[in-house]
Amino acid sequence: MEPVTYNLIGAGLIVIGAGIGLGQIGGKAMEGIARQPEAAGKIQTAMIIVAALLEGLAFGALFLGK
Amino acid sequence: MKIVQRSLKCLAIAILMFLPTSIFAFNAGEDGGQVSGKQEVEAYIVHHLKDSHDFNLFSYTDDSGERQHFGVALPVILWSSEGLVTFMSSEFHHDDNGHVIVEKDGLKFTKIHSKIYELEKGATAVSFDADHHATNASKVLDFSITKSVVGILLIGLLMLFWFSRLAKQYKKKQIPTGFGRILEPLVLYVRDEIARPNIGEKHYRKFTGYLLTVFFFIWILNLAGLTPLGFNVTGQLAVTACLAIFTLIIYTVSGNKDYWMHILWMPGVPIFVKPILAVIELVGAFIIKPFSLLVRLFANISAGHIVLMSLIAIMFTLKESLGVVGATSLSFVLSFFLLLIELLVAFLQAYIFTMLSALFIGMAVAEHDHEHEEHAHEISSDVEDVRGDFI
């Protein structure tokens, strides 16, 4: 296989990992909001921060692998 | 009543955001009418992501087969081996492969892949080696007013106009009018939801100015990137790196004693762990934090632009298989919905950048309770009380 293909496989793996992570964060946040709707604002903020950190990691990996 | 007011505000923002969408979709149809091959589309997208020395709105091939460009030439300012050299970018005649050579003050310049090179003495044409690197030309310091610089200056002036007008209206104790009505809730949002909870009641005032500037700068430039003007300012590594370095400087300079203590000599851990933690914390504070800020913004905006332009390119690449009407309508629908997502991303990235900046500054200025060791017992009993309420 050519090296380009490996790059693409790596990118796919990164996206799978980030997808699982984002799904976990989003799902748990939804659960939390459903349990305690009055804390929705705080949960949302925390969720966005964690999602941003995860996204930074995923983009960093994609960026370095390019 | 408050709900009505808020929904009206949302509606105003939504309409304002829809305007560029419709114009963009309309203009894209006319743009680059001759783009056909896959390579040509790719070259077009790569070219768009880079900064350019002229402000090109669109180009087409006329009946006689000549490429016509429509746009504005921008000044080129170079610091060459013999000092300052200036000329207009139109002298390159839209050449990007080193074919056109501009002679100024006895020096020869040429442009290869959006970078300006100075030819060596006596050379009349650029020669390339096997990897397509110029062998007889060297890079010069480039201070040109490029397209991104124009974007930054334009948005800067607009922000100066909008916010000084808003401030003037508050001084006269008026209700803000015009665009100020959209800015006001956002200013309050940044102050009350981002700065205040993350930095703390005592210090937030000092940093709100920076956070507001960064928020509106990124947000408005992200939106400008979705207009047919085709700015890609926040998708330039240099711009996002500069913004991240600002945040780095601010939280490094304003860090208090406790912050440095926690970085260099973490309290409350065994002594042999302290040096290891110091290395990790130093790398985190000076490399990882700014790097994550700059890469996130850059990658999000660039990725958005690439996907958007690829979807617009569907109308050229799928013309044969779907027909003109089919390909155009498919590309229109897809790019329209992607633009809606991009409007959200434009706001979200500005929000996240500001939010994380506030968080980092908040970590640096946070005041620790020094007696927490003595009070630890009380606090833990408090926690148990709260738990007891839940169970």
Side-chain angles (χ1 to χ4, degrees):
Chain A
M1 270 196 281
E2 284 179 28
V4 178
T5 330
Y6 289 125
N7 270 1
L8 291 177
I9 291 171
L13 287 175
I14 293 166
V15 171
I16 289 172
I20 292 170
L22 281 174
Q24 288 270 332
I25 295 164
K28 298 281 177 193
M30 288 281 166
E31 237 169 64
I33 292 172
R35 276 166 202 265
Q36 259 177 303
E38 69 275 8
K42 277 186 182 174
I43 293 173
Q44 224 164 30
T45 312
M47 178 189 83
I48 289 175
I49 291 174
V50 178
L53 292 175
L54 177 96
E55 202 188 44
L57 199 70
F59 273 130
L62 282 177
F63 189 66
L64 291 176
K66 202 172 76 174
Chain B
M1 200 58 211
K2 212 172 178 189
I3 294 171
V4 175
Q5 272 181 352
R6 280 189 101 170
S7 53
L8 272 179
K9 271 178 194 166
C10 290
L11 197 69
I13 294 175
I15 288 171
L16 196 91
M17 286 172 163
F18 264 104
L19 271 173
T21 319
S22 52
I23 299 167
F24 192 62
F26 169 71
N27 244 42
E30 293 181 320
D31 196 358
Q34 290 297 313
V35 180
S36 51
K38 203 181 157 205
Q39 276 84 21
E40 214 172 333
V41 169
E42 267 180 31
Y44 197 77
I45 293 174
V46 169
H47 187 78
H48 164 79
L49 289 177
K50 278 202 243 160
D51 204 359
S52 68
H53 281 90
D54 39 28
F55 201 123
N56 212 357
L57 284 173
F58 59 89
S59 51
Y60 61 96
T61 311
D62 65 6
D63 296 335
S64 55
E66 240 177 278
R67 198 82 177 148
Q68 298 286 336
H69 295 273
F70 192 85
V72 185
L74 299 170
V76 176
I77 303 163
L78 302 171
W79 187 261
S80 66
S81 56
E82 284 175 24
L84 199 68
V85 180
T86 54
F87 52 92
M88 292 303 279
S89 68
S90 53
E91 295 191 29
F92 284 121
H93 298 289
H94 301 281
D95 169 64
D96 204 24
N97 296 314
H99 296 312
V100 176
I101 286 158
V102 177
E103 238 187 297
K104 262 277 121 71
D105 305 338
L107 297 165
K108 295 194 182 80
F109 298 101
T110 189
K111 193 167 70 153
I112 306 163
H113 298 306
S114 303
K115 294 263 187 316
I116 293 179
Y117 290 81
E118 183 186 341
L119 265 70
E120 283 167 12
K121 290 263 149 36
T124 49
V126 191
S127 50
F128 297 99
D129 62 10
D131 297 329
H132 204 73
H133 292 302
T135 50
N136 60 349
S138 55
K139 275 184 196 169
V140 286
L141 274 180
D142 193 351
F143 298 104
S144 306
I145 309 291
T146 56
K147 195 175 176 179
S148 293
V149 179
V150 169
I152 291 172
L153 290 176
L154 194 73
I155 299 304
L157 285 176
L158 271 177
M159 276 169 65
L160 197 66
F161 169 69
W162 284 331
F163 284 100
S164 54
R165 199 160 145 256
L166 191 62
K168 223 178 274 167
Q169 282 166 346
Y170 282 126
K171 256 182 203 153
K172 284 194 231 150
K173 305 235 187 294
Q174 279 179 348
I175 298 168
T177 54
F179 195 61
R181 286 196 188 173
I182 293 169
L183 296 176
E184 190 197 57
L186 287 169
V187 170
L188 289 179
Y189 181 76
V190 172
R191 192 193 68 183
D192 293 336
E193 305 291 326
I194 298 178
R196 211 192 282 247
N198 287 311
I199 300 178
E201 203 62 46
K202 204 171 163 192
H203 298 285
Y204 81 93
R205 276 184 171 276
K206 211 165 78 184
F207 302 105
T208 308
Y210 170 69
L211 295 176
L212 281 171
T213 312
V214 153
F215 176 81
F216 283 104
F217 184 76
I218 296 175
W219 182 55
I220 296 172
L221 274 174
N222 283 350
L223 287 184
L226 300 175
T227 61
L229 295 174
F231 287 122
N232 184 27
V233 183
T234 36
Q236 305 285 346
L237 258 184
V239 175
T240 58
C242 194
L243 289 171
I245 287 170
F246 284 155
T247 302
L248 171 71
I249 290 172
I250 286 175
Y251 72 68
T252 308
V253 169
S254 58
N256 60 11
K257 205 173 66 195
D258 291 334
Y259 172 69
W260 291 109
M261 181 81 170
H262 276 260
I263 283 185
L264 298 172
W265 206 245
M266 182 73 87
V269 292
I271 209 130
F272 66 91
V273 186
K274 288 188 181 193
I276 307 170
L277 271 180
V279 172
I280 295 172
E281 290 279 339
L282 278 174
V283 171
F286 291 105
I287 297 168
I288 296 175
K289 277 177 185 174
F291 190 75
S292 74
L293 276 180
L294 80 94
V295 168
R296 180 178 307 110
L297 183 59
F298 160 75
N300 264 298
I301 302 303
S302 306
H305 278 244
I306 292 171
V307 176
L308 194 54
M309 294 195 76
S310 311
L311 288 181
I312 288 169
I314 281 179
M315 68 176 88
F316 310 114
T317 48
L318 292 183
K319 200 157 70 181
E320 272 87 49
S321 46
L322 290 177
V324 176
V325 177
T328 310
S329 40
L330 180 70
S331 138
F332 182 86
V333 169
L334 289 178
S335 52
F336 179 77
F337 285 108
L338 194 83
L339 261 167
L340 292 184
I341 297 172
E342 281 301 305
L343 289 176
L344 179 72
V345 169
F347 181 82
L348 204 66
Q349 288 310 315
Y351 169 74
I352 286 172
F353 196 99
T354 320
M355 182 78 178
L356 288 177
S357 295
L359 209 67
F360 296 157
I361 295 170
M363 282 178 191
V365 300
E367 278 170 22
H368 293 271
D369 190 5
H370 278 290
E371 288 114 76
H372 59 68
E373 267 119 60
E374 284 101 280
H375 290 294
H377 184 70
E378 280 176 38
I379 292 168
S380 65
S381 62
D382 279 350
V383 169
E384 269 160 31
D385 285 347
V386 174
R387 275 192 204 138
D389 288 346
F390 274 103
I391 298 162

